[in-house]
Amino acid sequence: MSNPPSSHAFSVPEIAAVYRAIDERRDMRHFSGGAVAPELMQRLLQAAHHAPSVGFMQPWRFIRISTRPLREALHALVEQERVLTARALGEREGEFMRLKVEGLLSAAEVWVVALADGREKHVFGRRTLPQMDLASTACAIQNLWLAARAEGLGMGWVSLFEPAAVSALLQMPAGAEPIALLCLGPVDGFYEEPMLQQERWARRCALEDLVFESSWGQPMAPALPVAVSPVLLQSR
């Protein structure tokens, strides 16, 4: 017997919309130019800024790349790292080099997301897990990503770069650390499945292989299945 709906739950269509955004979010690399209206961009940034953060430290900082020379400089840094990553992959070097890994020159918007300087003063929730600043900022990026998908915009997270080089290019203070180059804007269409799965680079793991009970590696008891949204069960 299913549990009655919570009085705090959204309506059925609203719940379906949330799961649809999660299911249809894609790491986009192909963009169709265009523009993002300022008021829409502000909504997306507000969504990011409403992410959870450990100790309410709000470690995220967003830098809009508004000139073509800066975009081209970032693109050059990504290209350098793309070649080095390919070499590090050994036998998969050629396969990797055939992948499209960014849309920096074609996306309507490019934003750099960084961890703020002075993070060491935030101890709440980070004394034993200092990486929670990164986890919090990743939540902000995911908020932005889901909001962008709901608004019909594509977004891609580029992490192929040397952080010190990006910091120097954007004149970041000591202690600040870039973690993402975000390509954002209109797309002709969303990939039917994650692009790296579509290109046979990797496949999504089976959920049951990643969910344990009581101890590492112990499968969930059959009587207590992991609840999955019907929308996600129909994932493409």
Side-chain angles (χ1 to χ4, degrees):
M1 181 180 296
S2 61
N3 294 324
S6 166
S7 61
H8 302 296
F10 292 177
S11 69
V12 171
E14 289 170 334
I15 292 170
V18 171
Y19 282 107
R20 181 184 173 191
I22 294 169
D23 180 43
E24 296 187 12
R25 180 209 58 79
R26 294 289 182 265
D27 189 357
M28 298 300 295
R29 287 92 186 274
H30 299 83
F31 295 86
S32 55
V36 177
E39 61 272 18
L40 173 51
M41 194 68 240
Q42 186 66 18
R43 287 203 300 273
L44 300 180
L45 291 171
Q46 286 286 0
H49 190 45
H50 278 77
S53 64
V54 172
F56 206 39
M57 70 178 295
Q58 303 162 75
W60 44 76
R61 299 294 183 269
F62 299 90
I63 304 172
R64 183 173 185 247
I65 304 304
S66 56
T67 70
R68 187 69 180 186
L70 267 182
R71 279 199 192 211
E72 291 174 350
L74 286 172
H75 182 268
L77 291 176
V78 169
E79 184 61 22
Q80 289 175 15
E81 180 55 34
R82 186 172 80 99
V83 171
L84 294 174
T85 297
R87 292 174 185 167
L89 286 168
E91 63 182 20
R92 300 196 78 180
E93 177 178 356
E95 184 183 355
F96 175 79
M97 288 298 289
R98 289 189 291 273
L99 294 173
K100 183 170 176 57
V101 297
E102 49 79 23
L104 289 166
L105 300 181
S106 57
E109 294 276 340
V110 173
W111 290 77
V112 176
V113 184
L115 301 175
D117 58 326
R119 303 189 307 283
E120 64 281 353
K121 70 176 182 287
H122 294 278
V123 178
F124 186 171
R126 296 181 65 242
R127 191 184 70 81
T128 59
L129 292 170
Q131 65 269 33
M132 296 314 290
D133 54 359
L134 177 60
S136 298
T137 304
C139 287
I141 293 172
Q142 179 75 334
N143 271 16
L144 198 160
W145 219 333
L146 294 175
R149 179 62 191 90
E151 296 277 6
L153 297 177
M155 193 179 102
W157 179 341
V158 182
S159 59
L160 292 166
F161 59 85
E162 171 52 55
V166 172
S167 294
L169 180 66
L170 301 181
Q171 303 175 38
M172 293 185 186
E177 182 181 354
I179 63 166
L181 311 181
L182 301 183
C183 304
L184 175 71
V187 294
D188 290 329
F190 290 87
Y191 311 134
E192 286 294 311
E193 56 183 333
M195 199 196 82
L196 293 183
Q197 180 166 288
Q198 190 171 282
E199 296 294 329
R200 306 296 182 258
W201 178 263
R203 295 197 61 81
R204 191 185 302 280
C205 298
L207 179 60
E208 57 267 27
D209 294 338
L210 310 178
V211 180
F212 308 141
E213 183 170 339
S214 299
S215 65
W216 188 276
Q218 179 65 38
M220 286 281 288
L224 296 172
V226 177
V228 180
S229 158
V231 175
L232 291 179
L233 285 173
Q234 299 169 13
S235 172
R236 296 172 296 179

